[in-house]
Amino acid sequence: MAVSERRGLGCGNPAEWGPRLLLLVLLGSCSGRIHQLALMGEKRADIPLNSFGFYANGSLEVELRLLRLGFQETEAKSPMVGFSLSRVRSGSTRSYSARDPHECLLQRNSSNFLVLFLINTKDLLVQVQKYGEHEKLLISPGLLPGGPSSTGPPKPDPRATTKMDSGSSTVSNAKENPAVSQVPSEKSKEMVLGLGHHDSVYNFSFHVVVGSRAEEGQYNLNFHNCYNSVPGQEHPFDLTVMIREKNPEGFLSAAELPLFKLYLVMSACFLAAGILWVSVLCRNLSTVFTTHWLMAALAFTKSISLLFHSINYYFINSQGHPIEGLAVMHYITHLLKGALLFITIALIGSGWAFVKYVLSDREKKVFGIVIPLQVLANVAYIVIESREEGSSDYRLWKEILFLVDLMCCGAILFPVVWSIRHLQDASGTDGKVAMNLAKLKLFRHYYIMVICYVYFTRIIAILLQVAVPFQWQWLCQLLVEGSTLAFFVLTGYKFQPAGDNPYLQLPQEDEEDVQMEQVTTDSGFREGLSKVNKTASGRELS
């Protein structure tokens, strides 16, 4: 069970999720880039704690406040519990993704690991093993000045013992300034830190400084308990750890530093697009429909959501955590934006309000699927934002978000496909071939637009995130927001309320109207009367 400053929905009856979600949003308990993760009764062997992109002079502080193994450590050749710090090429890649699940990572000499912190509970020490030549990756005991205060068990004596190649060792007591480097010389291979012990609870702390540009990169911090590597023989343990990451420019990762300005610029772009769209509607009020106003509301909601997102990143970068009220507003606007986006796309694809005011049964079923899926997707998004990466259900909610989002993207295509098939069937049977072909061409263009939007914002964005270096990960968000803006602009251009728009000019008869016309004609009630059709612009055609 995971307990964290970032609290999620947890388990329980799904009927209770609503009040819990509301409580979660109102509390706004995100802790930003100063993390505290508490796991109770955990049985996982490998726990991904966090991933962060460091520039030169960036720092990582880790304080193990509580470790209770809950069993007597067996006789082993090497420690079976500890931390690993590794550097990867991109933020979405784990260094141990492909391996034997029964293999203990702490006992494998791998070039993927930069540093291993092996916890020896028998001798009450922590062995620090470095791999490769990383002289400027400075490791020291204790926390940096100005870090969060600890309120846990008694801390160990912050001493560092460095084992030299010659076999001699030196012990340096903690200074008033813990930032003084205790890293061994070039010939050294191992450092030893003190491990505190009180009432079967172990604790220690350390910090790492990226001392040069050669050490820059995306770093993954993980916790390993190799005693739980064998299925069926897991032993529950308790873990409480505080993690504080910082770059010279603030608390944001290297990939997130440009996001504040990016979201602010994109918010202004969506606001300008919304104002332009409203001005177009005001000039053509006679051909404006409900869906047009939904499109305007979507643009403004998207702009406000990006504005709150930008402000959140600003405060996270400067303070290490967001402002709770602004985080709540971001969640609310994000939820509204997601619902409006998929509903508007589906309504345009079905032709509702433009040429008909009644949805068919299968179109109603699509909305009955898309709306609940969007609610679930937003719940998953909020849970991911409010949970630590090391939480036991973090990966589950992330997979739910990805799957539900793809299902929504697939569901909104059905109304467009049905409209295209209907126009293809009607183009050669009702005597209005030219008009239906013009409308069919427009629907085909819209179908391609929706496919491209889904492809760029989902598939291409993921591939780009994996391919680019760690400091260019923000290009993924630039692609997503730029593609969304282009999709909004093209949709508005295709379906703008103008007199020469074929989508708004062409009348379309519902099946119920055709059946009613057949009944009244057969009964003779409308004998001698001519049929009058009304276009979307209000003009009558006889």
Side-chain angles (χ1 to χ4, degrees):
M1 176 181 178
V3 181
S4 170
E5 285 185 0
R6 294 183 170 189
R7 299 187 182 271
L9 296 180
C11 303
N13 190 347
E16 300 176 358
W17 288 6
R20 291 187 182 183
L21 176 60
L22 179 60
L23 178 62
L24 168 66
V25 172
L26 293 179
L27 290 178
S29 56
C30 289
S31 58
R33 271 55 182 172
I34 301 177
H35 315 272
Q36 178 171 323
L37 175 66
L39 301 174
M40 308 298 293
E42 185 61 51
K43 294 184 178 181
R44 286 178 293 170
D46 304 311
I47 301 176
L49 296 178
N50 206 29
S51 182
F52 195 86
F54 288 99
Y55 284 125
N57 298 322
S59 62
L60 166 67
E61 300 175 69
V62 179
E63 181 181 5
L64 180 63
R65 295 181 175 178
L66 182 148
L67 175 61
R68 184 182 294 111
L69 296 177
F71 66 95
Q72 296 295 329
E73 185 176 359
T74 59
E75 295 294 334
K77 296 182 179 179
S78 60
M80 304 283 285
V81 180
F83 294 90
S84 68
L85 182 66
S86 58
R87 183 168 62 178
V88 295
R89 295 183 178 180
S90 63
S92 59
T93 304
R94 286 287 174 183
S95 58
Y96 56 90
S97 56
R99 69 174 185 89
D100 185 0
H102 304 320
E103 180 183 7
C104 179
L105 293 171
L106 299 178
Q107 297 178 344
R108 183 180 67 177
N109 295 331
S110 173
S111 59
N112 291 329
F113 291 136
L114 294 181
V115 186
L116 291 180
F117 299 86
L118 306 177
I119 300 176
N120 190 332
T121 58
K122 182 179 180 180
D123 299 328
L124 294 182
L125 53 87
V126 178
Q127 302 172 8
V128 183
Q129 298 180 358
K130 298 177 65 176
Y131 295 89
E133 298 296 332
H134 304 282
E135 294 83 2
K136 297 300 183 179
L137 193 64
L138 310 178
I139 303 174
S140 303
L143 303 178
L144 291 171
S149 60
S150 175
T151 59
K155 295 181 181 179
D157 182 19
R159 66 185 185 276
T161 302
T162 302
K163 296 183 178 179
M164 310 298 291
D165 288 345
S166 60
S168 62
S169 63
T170 60
V171 178
S172 59
N173 294 328
K175 308 296 182 180
E176 293 182 0
N177 183 7
V180 177
S181 173
Q182 304 289 343
V183 179
S185 61
E186 294 183 0
K187 296 183 179 180
S188 302
K189 295 297 182 181
E190 185 176 296
M191 172 192 295
V192 177
L193 305 179
L195 179 66
H197 179 244
H198 178 73
D199 293 338
S200 70
V201 172
Y202 304 96
N203 58 87
F204 77 101
S205 60
F206 65 91
H207 67 271
V208 181
V209 177
V210 179
S212 67
R213 296 191 62 181
E215 313 300 333
E216 293 180 347
Q218 189 81 16
Y219 286 78
N220 290 339
L221 179 66
N222 309 282
F223 180 82
H224 309 280
N225 184 357
C226 293
Y227 294 105
N228 292 346
S229 297
V230 181
Q233 300 181 11
E234 297 89 351
H235 300 276
F237 64 94
D238 301 336
L239 173 70
T240 301
V241 60
M242 187 281 300
I243 304 172
R244 185 173 184 260
E245 304 142 326
K246 191 174 182 180
N247 272 314
E249 299 181 13
F251 287 93
L252 288 177
S253 176
E256 298 172 331
L257 285 172
L259 292 184
F260 160 67
K261 297 178 181 179
L262 172 63
Y263 287 143
L264 188 61
V265 171
M266 296 307 300
S267 175
C269 293
F270 280 100
L271 178 62
I275 294 175
L276 178 62
W277 180 250
V278 171
S279 65
V280 172
L281 299 184
C282 293
R283 291 196 302 265
N284 302 272
L285 290 176
S286 60
T287 55
V288 172
F289 300 96
T290 305
T291 309
H292 286 134
W293 295 114
L294 285 177
M295 296 165 67
L298 174 60
F300 288 120
T301 305
K302 177 69 174 178
S303 175
I304 296 174
S305 177
L306 288 176
L307 177 62
F308 285 126
H309 209 178
S310 173
I311 297 175
N312 275 337
Y313 270 105
Y314 173 79
F315 284 105
I316 291 175
N317 190 46
S318 59
Q319 301 179 7
H321 58 83
I323 302 300
E324 294 182 354
L326 294 176
V328 171
M329 294 303 300
H330 166 62
Y331 290 147
I332 294 175
T333 53
H334 179 82
L335 190 150
L336 294 176
K337 180 264 299 180
L340 280 175
L341 174 63
F342 285 95
I343 290 176
T344 302
I345 293 176
L347 287 177
I348 294 176
S350 63
W352 181 81
F354 289 108
V355 292
K356 64 179 181 180
Y357 292 91
V358 178
L359 296 175
S360 63
D361 291 338
R362 57 183 181 180
E363 289 170 345
K364 292 179 182 179
K365 292 180 181 178
V366 170
F367 284 96
I369 295 175
V370 170
I371 295 177
L373 287 179
Q374 268 301 297
V375 173
L376 180 58
N378 283 279
V379 170
Y381 173 80
I382 295 176
V383 170
I384 291 174
E385 289 293 312
S386 60
R387 282 292 181 98
E388 293 290 349
E389 186 177 352
S391 300
S392 56
D393 57 353
Y394 180 87
R395 179 175 296 182
L396 173 63
W397 282 105
K398 197 168 185 178
E399 292 174 353
I400 289 175
L401 175 61
F402 180 76
L403 178 61
V404 170
D405 186 65
L406 288 183
M407 292 175 64
C408 289
C409 294
I412 60 176
L413 293 175
F414 283 101
V416 186
V417 174
W418 293 335
S419 298
I420 291 176
R421 289 181 178 179
H422 174 75
L423 290 172
Q424 288 176 339
D425 295 338
S427 60
T429 59
D430 59 0
K432 302 173 182 177
V433 178
M435 293 186 294
N436 283 327
L437 287 179
K439 190 173 180 180
L440 178 61
K441 181 179 179 180
L442 183 60
F443 263 93
R444 284 175 173 171
H445 289 172
Y446 183 64
Y447 177 79
I448 295 175
M449 288 164 49
V450 175
I451 291 292
C452 291
Y453 168 72
V454 174
Y455 186 73
F456 276 95
T457 57
R458 271 70 178 175
I459 308 301
I460 297 297
I462 295 176
L463 296 178
L464 182 65
Q465 187 177 8
V466 175
V468 299
F470 75 101
Q471 67 269 33
W472 298 103
Q473 294 282 311
W474 59 273
L475 290 176
C476 172
Q477 297 301 321
L478 176 61
L479 174 64
V480 171
E481 302 302 336
S483 301
T484 304
L485 178 62
F487 177 72
F488 282 18
V489 172
L490 289 176
T491 302
Y493 175 77
K494 290 290 185 179
F495 301 99
Q496 58 182 318
D500 56 348
N501 193 328
Y503 188 85
L504 307 180
Q505 277 188 336
L506 298 179
Q508 178 177 332
E509 298 175 351
D510 295 335
E511 295 180 1
E512 296 181 358
D513 296 337
V514 175
Q515 295 177 358
M516 182 60 65
E517 178 186 355
Q518 183 67 28
V519 171
T520 54
T521 302
D522 294 341
S523 63
F525 178 76
R526 295 178 55 185
E527 186 176 356
L529 299 179
S530 62
K531 179 182 175 183
V532 177
N533 289 332
K534 184 177 292 186
T535 64
S537 61
R539 297 188 298 270
E540 294 183 350
L541 301 174
S542 58

